[in-house]
Amino acid sequence: MYNFHTYYITDEEPCLLNVDVADIQPSYPEQVKLSIGLHPWKVTEDWRDEVKTIRDAAQRTDVWAIGECGLDKVKGVELSVQLEAFRAHIALAEELQKPMLIHCVRAFDELLMLRRELEATCRQEGREPQPWVIHGFRGKPEQAKQVMTKGMLLSFGHQYNLETLRFVFTSSRPFYLETDDSRLSVLHIYEQVARHLDVDVSRLSRLCDPRKTLFARQNP
Ligand SMILES: [Zn+2]
């Protein structure tokens, strides 16, 4: 059962481990792949130095995603600085051709604006933008619809809007499941979601595995 976003290696399940670039280890168990980026809460005026370090580390083949990064209007430095740092991550994801794992709190208008910008640039250059996955999504179905029509995907933790989860499930777009910063086992999340959607855990496990779809390029 794939754990799309975690801070801990708690079991043998495959996962995308979010690591601080300062703590990155030379190697990890085979089932562990990495996401690295500057969390919006950690963005300071010196974000450029941090992004430089992230850029070097993100070349590693076991780094599968850029993030988590993003925008937060409730916590962190002022939004203009967060936007600059986030734009640098978008550029990095495009340069390295790796998907983005996004944290977004009350900044969906800005997020949609940036996605439109990227899509316009990519259209001019005749290429596809990298997929963006919003993690820990708790929004209502309307908001899910809005971001999904812009080519973004969603990942759910143990708290979510049940109507949204059902909507995404029936939309036939991929979605992912995660433990985030909790110490819950990923099995717990899959069991809860399977119950809510009335499907088998094994079916859910196939459905929410990003390795053949989102990470097809990273996982040949
Ligand atoms: Zn987050």
Side-chain angles (χ1 to χ4, degrees):
M1 272 158 284
Y2 205 94
N3 188 351
F4 194 72
H5 182 53
T6 179
Y7 288 84
Y8 317 103
I9 305 172
T10 50
D11 44 36
E12 301 288 299
E13 301 292 344
C15 69
L16 194 61
L17 180 72
N18 203 96
V19 290
D20 200 316
V21 70
D23 302 330
I24 197 165
Q25 301 296 310
S27 72
Y28 289 87
E30 185 54 33
Q31 82 276 15
V32 177
K33 303 301 173 193
L34 310 176
S35 57
I36 58 169
L38 193 54
H39 194 289
W41 298 350
K42 291 191 177 165
V43 172
T44 64
E45 299 284 344
D46 301 326
W47 64 265
R48 281 182 182 79
D49 296 336
E50 289 267 4
V51 171
K52 235 176 257 165
T53 318
I54 289 165
R55 186 174 178 274
D56 292 338
Q59 320 275 337
R60 283 170 51 148
T61 54
D62 60 351
V63 173
W64 279 11
I66 304 301
E68 72 173 288
C69 53
L71 304 167
D72 194 321
K73 280 193 186 167
V74 176
K75 207 168 155 181
V77 288
E78 61 175 292
L79 196 68
S80 60
V81 181
Q82 290 191 30
L83 278 164
E84 279 187 290
F86 187 43
R87 276 204 165 94
H89 285 82
I90 296 170
L92 183 59
E94 293 301 316
E95 178 195 337
L96 301 178
Q97 295 284 287
K98 296 184 184 190
M100 292 234 283
L101 195 150
I102 293 172
H103 170 107
C104 184
V105 174
R106 297 197 193 161
F108 282 91
D109 288 345
E110 290 80 358
L111 188 72
L112 287 163
M113 176 197 75
L114 289 169
R115 185 71 191 178
R116 273 195 298 272
E117 269 180 25
L118 175 66
E119 283 181 342
T121 310
C122 288
R123 213 173 304 123
Q124 277 173 4
E125 295 171 2
R127 59 186 178 88
E128 287 292 318
Q130 283 301 302
W132 291 6
V133 185
I134 303 171
H135 98 90
F137 192 77
R138 296 185 196 181
K140 295 191 172 142
E142 273 309 307
Q143 193 169 51
K145 228 175 271 179
Q146 206 184 10
V147 294
M148 283 161 70
T149 52
K150 282 286 151 207
M152 292 185 241
L153 300 169
L154 304 178
S155 173
F156 298 97
H158 73 292
Q159 285 183 304
Y160 44 76
N161 179 306
L162 186 50
E163 244 186 287
T164 304
L165 178 75
R166 290 197 175 119
F167 163 72
V168 174
F169 177 64
T170 52
S171 76
S172 80
R173 298 288 304 276
F175 64 97
Y176 308 108
L177 300 177
E178 59 177 63
T179 55
D180 198 0
D181 58 357
S182 79
R183 293 268 186 185
L184 293 169
S185 81
V186 74
L187 175 65
H188 175 93
I189 311 280
Y190 275 79
E191 283 175 343
Q192 176 186 316
V193 170
R195 214 167 35 242
H196 278 154
L197 295 175
D198 197 19
V199 294
D200 292 344
V201 170
S202 58
R203 180 168 165 220
L204 196 61
S205 166
R206 282 194 302 277
L207 220 60
C208 298
D209 190 334
R211 287 174 291 185
K212 295 257 183 301
T213 52
L214 188 71
F215 296 131
R217 212 178 143 267
Q218 284 73 27
N219 182 47

